[in-house]
């Protein structure tokens, strides 16, 4: 089958063509060969362009290559002029003589015919339904020896600046620089697969790939027809007579029509100024190869004129590593940086990449769901129908899916979810514990319910207030005609301060069914929450599972091989075992030894994992493999790819190769997701294999300036706590960025836990004083508020003397300059009142509460709820210290009136004040009034 047949699936009849006889030999690239090819009846490029879609495979999915209409391209930056101190101007390419047929003309003619019109498309801003952090991959294409300085400039000067710029726009930058990605002893097929496979990934993740092409005086490797495996020829529509660099341009730019490609063409006259001993690194040694270089440069200029930039540089010296060093590359650096910034801004506009909490929370779960259902084998055990019958006949139902690790519980849950969604009466939410950061907390699940089903854009605050809001949302959902199904995978691992699952609010939801997976029996804390049906996940149709997975890589087993694999112990009860075995068979390349290979496979999942682990260690750096898996196993926080690469201290190309080798263990992450294991069992197995010392690498990375401050504040304390590095943890906690991140209503108790773990909480106040004293550039009012917040922390930690020190400083700093209402000053007075109350100095407490209330009453613009809070605090002081009932009641009543005017009759603050009033009446012996107020409180909390 020739290339044209490959493009249209082998059938040329619809074009009115007769396929030429097949041949296993490549046509020689000669002038006679060109004439023979031209004599064949070929469709025009327009006819080829009319084909509705051409498909080519990528790593994770199939992409459609669809011809696009000619649209105006973006304005390009001005052409680069030579460096000021360079005496040579950029020379134009040698023009091709009219009527002359060059040696490489057939290859370029075939490239132009198969790719259609050479043009770029326009950028459509990516507004994915799953917004949040995205990954931008920049592929660098060039020969290696002659472009060493240019690549060094990109890696050490351009990309660090671009990475910081991207980070500010919630974009992860990954540069694909494969100088060291292909071992010297690799087979030609492996070399091509690594180079073009990484380009596939750029296309898959970014659609319009970001591509930097560096063209000098070398063409690079031009493999012969026999050196290119048939699978690669078919997959990439290989052009005989093209170099690997040229194929990267065809595959990454011409066929995708990306407008995000920049071509940097170096001044050819540089060669005349180089020392003779290094000339072979910059110039081809045959006239034919030099002709290919000239042809490629001319074609690139004609294909993409707006994306081509000339630059010149100056040879300086040969470095200690034997590599030539170029200088005067400032123009080169600026042009590439500005082009990429413009391209990225147009594809990922800043207005479109602001995170939406709803979609950000949903991202890892939809990715996991897609991974579980992609190669799902149809259930033949009746488990899916049993679940559907239970939901239909017993709604609201509680269904448990149980089974051993790797038995297919999550896949069965996902398959049931897909079937339920076919009925429009159902709304379904799937939550995979461990799918992403924070997903193992019941509070995270509660937020998702309120945002995805309740329509809330954001849900923050203290745990009690979130529960109250959630009850209100559930109350509204209960009145809807929809049926709700909440699917929780791995419910055993959900964490909560009160119960392992938030069953206290689920029990009050009449039209929700719950389906969950667990490895063993599971009991809800509330008696009314009883499992109505239990389904046991079973390994069904093992042969079909094996065939489905191997079919993806065009492999199949004979009957004996299939029998040997199915007879393995875990193969009979665990789909996970079968998937792992198929992945090993997919990468095993010796057909004659497949039977022996299967026979030697371990019969258990842990044993098979260790065999895969040992194979990967033998093919890669053993230290890098152990560190990668060790970080994934022992690090309490998942890392993103750039963070993992920096922690390991390896080059981007080495990381690409390593990650690809370990992909069998990794979850297929959604765009922007962190690195995680594909199955929780992997973490358990590797915990006894890989060392925990690798956490030092992560801690060192997060203590550096390479990590964004908010990310560092969130992750570093957790890692240091896991490492039991108490001194480093104390220093980390004393940083204001860490305090600012963790000290809020939702996570302040975690901050308390961190300090107690340091065993240095006695020196906490001293460390915070030192931190605040260094903030000389912070405005005085902001600094006063920071002193207040630290004082409040001391109050909650029962360090009242330390709290008084910070609160007094805050009150003194904020008082002199308040115009209108100064919230910090009021907060500081209120905190002083609470601290003096705890110390038993009631007179001072009362004086500060009164002063705070007086300022709030007199200050125009003071929020009414703050006045109500001060009234409630002062009333509580009167009641609890001295039983001054008649002083406290008027204050409670005034606070209640303000809150009802502000919120209506239903609010958590109203419930608190009503309860406090009931306590006063009860203490006074007025039981009738007390009971009435308590009943109102109970009814209000039920509704809330």
């Amino acid at each position: 089958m020739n290339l044209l047949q490959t493009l249209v699936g082998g059938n040329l009849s619809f074009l009115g063509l007769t396929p030429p006889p097949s041949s296993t030999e490549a046509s020689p690239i000669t002038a006679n060969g060109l004439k023979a090819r031209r004599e064949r009846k070929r469709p025009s490029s327009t006819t080829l362009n009319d084909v509705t879609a051409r498909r080519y495979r990528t790593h994770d999915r199939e992409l459609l290559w669809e011809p696009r209409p000619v649209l105006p391209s973006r304005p390009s930056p001005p052409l680069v002029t030579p460096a000021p101190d360079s005496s040579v101007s950029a020379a134009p390419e040698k023009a091709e003589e009219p009527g002359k047929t060059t040696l490489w003309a057939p290859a370029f003619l075939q490239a132009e015919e198969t790719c259609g019109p050479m043009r770029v498309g326009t950028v459509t801003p990516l507004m994915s339904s799953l917004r949040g952090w995205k990954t931008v991959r920049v592929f660098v294409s060039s020969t290696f020896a002659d472009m060493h300085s240019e690549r060094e400039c990109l890696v050490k000067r351009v990309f660090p600046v671009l990475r910081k710029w991207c980070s500010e726009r919630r974009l992860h930058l990954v540069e694909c620089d494969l100088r060291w990605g292909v071992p010297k002893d690799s087979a030609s097929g492996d070399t091509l697969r690594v180079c073009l496979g990484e380009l596939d990934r750029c296309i898959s993740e970014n659609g319009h790939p970001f591509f930097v092409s560096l063209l000098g005086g070398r063409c690079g490797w031009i493999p012969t027809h026999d050196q290119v495996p048939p699978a690669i020829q078919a997959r990439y529509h290989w052009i005989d007579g093209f170099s690997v660099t040229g194929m990267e341009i065809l595959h990454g730019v011409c066929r995708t029509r990306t407008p995000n490609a920049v071509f940097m063409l170096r001044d050819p006259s540089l060669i005349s100024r180089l020392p003779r001993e290094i000339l072979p690194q910059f110039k081809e040694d045959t006239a034919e190869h030099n002709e290919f270089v000239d042809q490629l440069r001319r074609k690139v200029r004609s294909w993409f004129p707006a994306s081509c930039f000339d630059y010149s540089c100056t040879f300086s010296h040969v470095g200690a590593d034997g590599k030539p060093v170029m200088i005067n590359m400032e123009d080169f650096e600026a042009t590439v940086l500005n082009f990429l910034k413009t391209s990225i801004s147009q594809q990922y506009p800043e207005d479109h990449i602001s995170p939406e909490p709803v979609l950000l929370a949903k991202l890892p779960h939809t990715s996991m769901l897609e991974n579980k259902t992609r190669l799902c084998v149809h259930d033949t055990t009746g488990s899916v129908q049993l679940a559907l019958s239970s939901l239909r006949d017993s709604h609201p139902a509680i269904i448990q899916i149980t089974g051993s690790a790797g038995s297919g519980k999550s896949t069965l849950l996902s398959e049931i979810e897909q079937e339920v969604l076919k009925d429009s009466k159902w709304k379904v939410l799937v939550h995979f514990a461990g799918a992403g950061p924070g997903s193992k907390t019941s509070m995270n699940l509660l937020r998702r319910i309120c945002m995805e089903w309740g329509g809330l854009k954001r849900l923050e605050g203290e745990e009690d207030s979130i529960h109250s809001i959630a009850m209100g949302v559930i109350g509204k959902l209960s009145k809807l005609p929809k049926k709700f199904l909440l699917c929780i995978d791995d419910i055993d691992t959900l964490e909560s301060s009160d119960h392992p699952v938030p069953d206290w609010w689920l029990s009050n939801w009449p039209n929700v069914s719950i389906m969950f997976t667990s490895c063993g029996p599971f009991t809800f804390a509330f008696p009314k929450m009883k499992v109505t049906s239990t389904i046991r996940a079973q390994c069904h149709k093992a042969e079909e599972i094996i065939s489905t997975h191997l079919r993806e890589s065009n492999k199949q087993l004979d009957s004996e091989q299939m029998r040997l694999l199915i007879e393995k112990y875990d193969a009979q009860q665990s789909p996970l075992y079968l998937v792992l075995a198929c992945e090993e068979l997919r990468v095993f390349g010796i057909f004659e030894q497949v039977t022996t290979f299967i026979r030697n496979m371990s019969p258990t999942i842990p044993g098979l994992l260790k065999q895969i682990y040992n194979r990967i260690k033998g093919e890669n750096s053993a230290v890098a493999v152990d560190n990668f898996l060790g970080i994934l196993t022992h690090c309490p926080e998942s890392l993103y790819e750039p963070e993992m690469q920096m922690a390991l201290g390896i080059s981007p190309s080495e990381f690409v190769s390593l990650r690809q080798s370990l992909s069998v263990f990794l979850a297929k992450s959604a765009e922007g997701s962190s690195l995680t294991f594909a199955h929780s069992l992997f973490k358990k197995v590797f915990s006894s294999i890989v060392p925990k010392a690798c956490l030092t690498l992560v801690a060192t990375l997060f203590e550096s300036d390479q990590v964004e401050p908010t990310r560092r504040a969130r992750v570093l304390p957790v890692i240091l706590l896991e490492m039991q590095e108490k001194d480093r943890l104390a220093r980390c906690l004393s940083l204001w960025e860490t305090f600012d991140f963790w000290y809020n209503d939702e996570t302040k108790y975690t901050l308390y836990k961190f300090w107690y773990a340091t065993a240095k909480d006695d020196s906490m106040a001293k460390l915070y004083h030192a931190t605040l004293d260094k903030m000389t550039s912070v405005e005085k009012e902001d600094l006063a508020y920071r002193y207040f917040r630290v004082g409040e922390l001391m109050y909650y930690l029962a360090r009242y003397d330390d709290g008084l020190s910070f609160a007094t400083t805050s009150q003194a700093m904020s008082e002199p300059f308040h115009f209108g209402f100064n919230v910090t000053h009021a907060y500081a007075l209120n905190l002083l009142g609470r601290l003096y109350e705890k110390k038993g100095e009631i007179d001072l407490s009362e004086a500060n509460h009164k002063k705070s209330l007086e300022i709030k009453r007199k200050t125009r613009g003071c929020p009414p709820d703050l006045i109500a809070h001060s009234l409630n605090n002062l009333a509580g002081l009167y009641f609890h210290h001295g039983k001054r009932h008649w002083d406290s009641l008027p204050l409670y009543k005034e606070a209640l009136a303000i809150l009802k005017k502000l919120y209506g009759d239903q609010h958590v603050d109203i419930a608190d004040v009503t309860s406090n009033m009931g306590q006063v009446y009860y203490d006074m012996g007025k039981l009738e009034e007390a009971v009435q107020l308590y009943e109102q409180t109970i009814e209000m909390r039920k509704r809330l």
Side-chain angles (χ1 to χ4, degrees), residues 384-448:
V384 173
Q385 290 303 317
L386 179 60
L388 294 177
S389 298
S390 180
L391 291 171
R392 182 178 59 251
D393 301 335
S394 306
H395 180 72
I398 300 179
I399 303 171
Q400 178 181 14
I401 300 175
T402 186
S404 58
S407 60
K409 301 184 296 296
S410 303
T411 301
L412 179 58
L413 178 81
S414 303
E415 190 175 356
I416 296 171
E417 183 265 354
Q418 296 292 303
E419 291 296 319
V420 173
L421 279 178
K422 294 178 181 179
D423 187 343
S424 59
K425 295 180 181 179
W426 285 90
K427 290 180 72 69
V428 184
L429 187 148
V430 182
H431 187 89
F432 291 92
S439 59
K440 286 190 176 183
T441 64
S442 60
M443 193 57 57
N444 181 281
L445 172 59
L446 186 56
R447 278 198 187 85
R448 289 194 61 208

Side-chain angles (χ1 to χ4, degrees), residues 202-458:
C202 297
I203 297 170
S204 176
E205 291 199 21
N206 296 122
H208 286 305
F210 297 92
F211 191 97
V212 178
S213 175
L214 312 176
L215 295 175
R218 291 179 60 88
C219 63
W221 177 37
I222 302 178
T224 64
H225 180 81
D226 294 337
Q227 288 177 315
V228 183
I232 292 181
Q233 293 184 35
R235 176 172 177 174
Y236 296 104
H237 313 310
W238 193 271
I239 306 294
D240 285 336
F242 243 63
S243 68
V244 175
T245 303
M247 279 305 303
E248 289 172 348
I249 294 173
L250 286 182
H251 186 57
V253 184
C254 300
R255 291 169 180 165
T256 64
R257 294 179 173 85
T258 179
N260 301 327
V262 58
F263 296 90
M264 303 300 297
L265 290 88
R266 188 169 60 198
D267 177 7
S269 66
L270 171 71
I271 294 176
S272 64
R273 304 192 301 275
L274 295 175
R276 181 174 300 177
E277 59 270 18
I278 65 171
L279 272 178
Q281 299 181 45
F282 288 79
K283 184 180 179 181
E284 295 293 345
D285 54 2
T286 66
E288 292 81 4
H289 285 171
N290 282 318
E291 182 183 335
F292 181 91
V293 175
D294 293 339
Q295 184 90 336
L296 180 62
R297 289 171 63 110
R298 282 196 299 270
K299 289 297 184 182
V300 165
R301 287 186 186 277
S302 65
W303 292 342
F304 312 108
S307 301
C308 292
F309 302 93
D310 295 293
Y311 74 95
S312 60
C313 53
T314 306
F315 170 74
S316 174
H317 63 281
V318 176
D321 56 0
K323 302 289 185 182
V325 177
M326 302 293 166
I327 57 175
N328 298 327
M329 300 189 65
E330 293 80 8
D331 290 333
F332 169 86
E333 176 185 336
T335 301
V336 176
L337 181 61
N338 292 335
F339 186 95
L340 290 175
K341 282 185 176 181
T342 302
S343 299
I344 294 169
S345 294
Q346 293 194 7
Q347 184 149 325
Y348 298 99
E350 195 165 3
D351 290 342
H352 295 157
I353 60 176
S354 56
E356 291 186 3
V358 179
L359 302 174
L360 201 57
K362 187 178 181 180
L363 177 74
H365 304 278
T366 53
S367 175
M368 186 72 76
L369 183 64
E370 180 183 358
N371 187 36
K372 294 292 183 183
T373 56
R374 187 174 64 87
L375 294 176
C376 188
V377 175
H378 182 65
D379 172 53
T380 58
T381 64
S383 298
V384 173
Q385 290 303 317
L386 179 60
L388 294 177
S389 298
S390 180
L391 291 171
R392 182 178 59 251
D393 301 335
S394 306
H395 180 72
I398 300 179
I399 303 171
Q400 178 181 14
I401 300 175
T402 186
S404 58
S407 60
K409 301 184 296 296
S410 303
T411 301
L412 179 58
L413 178 81
S414 303
E415 190 175 356
I416 296 171
E417 183 265 354
Q418 296 292 303
E419 291 296 319
V420 173
L421 279 178
K422 294 178 181 179
D423 187 343
S424 59
K425 295 180 181 179
W426 285 90
K427 290 180 72 69
V428 184
L429 187 148
V430 182
H431 187 89
F432 291 92
S439 59
K440 286 190 176 183
T441 64
S442 60
M443 193 57 57
N444 181 281
L445 172 59
L446 186 56
R447 278 198 187 85
R448 289 194 61 208
I449 291 174
C450 292
M451 291 192 294
E452 294 181 36
W453 282 349
L456 300 181
K457 291 187 177 181
R458 187 180 293 274

Side-chain angles (χ1 to χ4, degrees), residues 21 140 242 293 480 518 526 604 678 748 778 854 930:
V140 181
F242 243 63
V293 175
L480 298 179
S518 65
F526 274 40
T604 65
K748 61 187 178 185
V778 177
E854 180 184 1

Side-chain angles (χ1 to χ4, degrees), residues 765-817:
K766 182 179 179 181
L767 289 170
Y768 278 131
H769 268 300
T771 298
L772 293 170
D773 288 343
K774 294 176 183 177
M775 296 183 179
T776 55
S777 60
V778 177
E779 292 197 11
K780 195 173 182 181
E781 187 167 1
D782 185 27
L783 188 59
Y785 184 64
R786 297 187 182 193
Y787 271 98
F788 158 74
R789 294 183 68 197
V790 178
E792 192 177 43
L793 171 65
M794 300 300 164
Y795 170 83
Y796 285 117
L797 291 177
R799 297 189 171 279
Y800 304 127
D801 289 332
D802 291 332
L804 282 171
S805 172
F806 286 98
T808 302
T809 303
S810 174
Q811 186 261 344
M813 294 179 71
S814 59
E815 187 173 19
F817 54 84

Side-chain angles (χ1 to χ4, degrees), residues 191-211:
T191 301
L192 299 173
R193 194 173 292 110
V194 169
C195 293
L196 295 177
E198 183 58 23
L199 184 52
D200 274 344
R201 195 174 179 202
C202 297
I203 297 170
S204 176
E205 291 199 21
N206 296 122
H208 286 305
F210 297 92
F211 191 97

Side-chain angles (χ1 to χ4, degrees), residues 142-151 214-216 266 311:
S142 78
T143 49
F144 293 151
D146 60 327
M147 289 293 176
H148 175 75
S149 287
E150 282 83 350
R151 285 182 174 260
L214 312 176
L215 295 175
R266 188 169 60 198
Y311 74 95

Side-chain angles (χ1 to χ4, degrees), residues 712-908:
R712 176 168 59 244
R714 187 176 75 82
V715 176
L716 184 56
V718 182
I719 295 172
L720 295 176
L721 179 63
E722 179 72 18
M723 296 171 62
Q724 289 297 299
E725 287 280 353
K726 297 180 180 181
D727 291 340
R728 294 167 74 182
L729 178 57
R731 288 196 299 271
C732 172
L733 295 176
S734 66
L735 297 175
W736 187 256
E737 66 188 33
T738 309
F739 178 90
D740 196 42
F741 179 86
W742 287 101
Y743 189 66
N744 55 66
D745 290 338
E746 182 184 342
T747 59
K748 61 187 178 185
Y749 295 104
T750 305
L751 182 59
Y752 307 160
K753 182 181 74 172
F754 288 150
W755 272 114
Y756 283 130
T758 65
K760 295 181 179 295
D761 45 326
D762 289 338
S763 58
M764 177 172 48
K766 182 179 179 181
L767 289 170
Y768 278 131
H769 268 300
T771 298
L772 293 170
D773 288 343
K774 294 176 183 177
M775 296 183 179
T776 55
S777 60
V778 177
E779 292 197 11
K780 195 173 182 181
E781 187 167 1
D782 185 27
L783 188 59
Y785 184 64
R786 297 187 182 193
Y787 271 98
F788 158 74
R789 294 183 68 197
V790 178
E792 192 177 43
L793 171 65
M794 300 300 164
Y795 170 83
Y796 285 117
L797 291 177
R799 297 189 171 279
Y800 304 127
D801 289 332
D802 291 332
L804 282 171
S805 172
F806 286 98
T808 302
T809 303
S810 174
Q811 186 261 344
M813 294 179 71
S814 59
E815 187 173 19
F817 54 84
H818 65 83
F819 300 98
F821 176 68
N822 185 284
V823 68
T824 303
H825 189 61
Y827 283 166
L829 289 171
N830 186 62
L831 177 59
L832 285 169
R834 292 154 63 193
L835 286 164
Y836 282 124
E837 180 183 359
K838 290 294 185 182
K839 287 175 63 66
E841 300 180 38
I842 307 304
D843 291 341
L844 287 174
S845 176
E846 181 180 354
N848 280 280
H849 278 306
K850 282 184 174 181
K851 189 175 181 180
S852 176
L853 180 59
E854 180 184 1
I855 291 175
K856 291 176 182 178
R857 286 187 189 277
K858 291 182 178 180
T859 304
R860 180 179 299 176
C862 175
D865 60 324
L866 293 186
I867 296 176
H869 292 164
S870 281
L871 289 167
N872 181 70
N873 291 338
L874 187 56
L877 180 70
Y878 287 153
F879 173 69
H880 292 293
H881 302 277
K883 302 296 183 182
R884 296 162 59 180
H885 305 123
W886 299 111
D887 288 329
S888 61
L889 275 176
L891 298 177
Y892 279 135
K893 290 179 180 179
E894 185 181 355
L896 192 60
I898 292 173
L899 293 172
K900 285 187 175 182
K901 184 177 180 180
L902 187 63
Y903 300 122
D905 292 331
Q906 305 290 326
H907 192 269
V908 62

